[in-house]
Amino acid sequence: MRGRFAPSPTGRLHLGNARSALLGWLQARAAGGEFLLRVEDLDRARCRPEHVDGLYRDLTWLGLDWDGPVLFQSERADAYEAALASLRAAGRVYPCSCTRQEVARAASAPHGPLDEGPLYPGTCRPPGGSARPGAPAALRFRPRPGVTAFVDGVHGQAGHDVREAVGDFVVRRNDGVASYQLAVVVDDAHQGITHVLRGDDLLTSTPRQLQLYGALGLQPPAFAHVPLLHGEDGRRLAKRDGATTLAGLREAGVPAERVVGLLSRWSGLTDGRPCRAAELVPGFSLQRLQRSPAVVSAGELEYTLRP
Ligand code: GLU
């Protein structure tokens, strides 16, 4: 059994990321498995080295450790190109020069069923279409028709028809960088990940990734998508909520045990008493996780985390 945490170093870790890391770590350690760390720094413009240092510091502070060397996606371009070459050889990708605006204009609805932007209408798909010669082109993958179903460790039966939900999707951006969907599959397979645990904002990405596993002849891992933390306004807790970064809490003198206690209560694991991550390992199972989003109230946060 091998799990992983794969953050993008675009900011400081907040409580939401920390909870995914804690739960992934608990899942791996409770099974006597390994836990790997991968830095998803494909987006060079948004990722910063100081956030990588911060990541190590934050995880260590929480009491989470990882096995083996850290893998950086920014150093994996050759592996992504090799995967793209095999997709190309199988006739599964084609160049697309559509801009975002062109896709939006050509789509029948501003948002496809997944609300992740418009459904790609297939403008450049051969044999009928083709990319504009000389224009920067992305590569799009042609999914197989039909529902791509899977059993999620938290949500149970899940999946959708990728062609109907997002259409042909980008596997290499028009600046030559691999897309998240491609890189995550190539790297999870390369690192021998057997169990992926992550936030359920990525639940709708999984069918796309399963399609890529199939096309690349790779064995997919088991997936578990944990409910995100939400603020009182119903929006998911994100990096913009500055007060909830781990670095901020640490600098304010809040003990890590208190943060771990809070994270475990929001996951339905404990009553929230301060504890070390290692104390939660015995008896941990996905079945015990709360299935609905945890609502983080400002008052509760302030009270629990007061230094
Ligand atoms: N790097 C992604 C993120 O930070 C997570 C990728 C994954 O867990 O599959 O949102």
Side-chain angles (χ1 to χ4, degrees), residues 39 41-42 44 70-80 187 190:
V39 173
D41 55 352
L42 281 178
R44 294 293 190 97
V70 177
L71 191 70
F72 287 82
Q73 290 197 322
S74 54
E75 294 169 9
R76 300 270 301 148
D78 291 350
Y80 307 142
D187 288 341
H190 169 74

Side-chain angles (χ1 to χ4, degrees), residues 38-42 71-88 139 171-172 176-191 216:
R38 180 169 73 238
V39 173
E40 301 214 322
D41 55 352
L42 281 178
L71 191 70
F72 287 82
Q73 290 197 322
S74 54
E75 294 169 9
R76 300 270 301 148
D78 291 350
Y80 307 142
E81 281 307 311
L84 287 165
S86 106
L87 294 177
R88 205 181 280 117
L139 281 179
V171 283
R172 187 172 71 182
V177 176
S179 73
Y180 157 69
Q181 305 292 352
L182 180 81
V184 74
V185 167
V186 170
D187 288 341
D188 278 333
H190 169 74
Q191 293 190 286
L216 292 166

Side-chain angles (χ1 to χ4, degrees), residues 4 6-8 40 180 184 198 202:
R4 49 73 159 178
S8 307
E40 301 214 322
Y180 157 69
V184 74
R198 58 190 177 191
L202 291 168

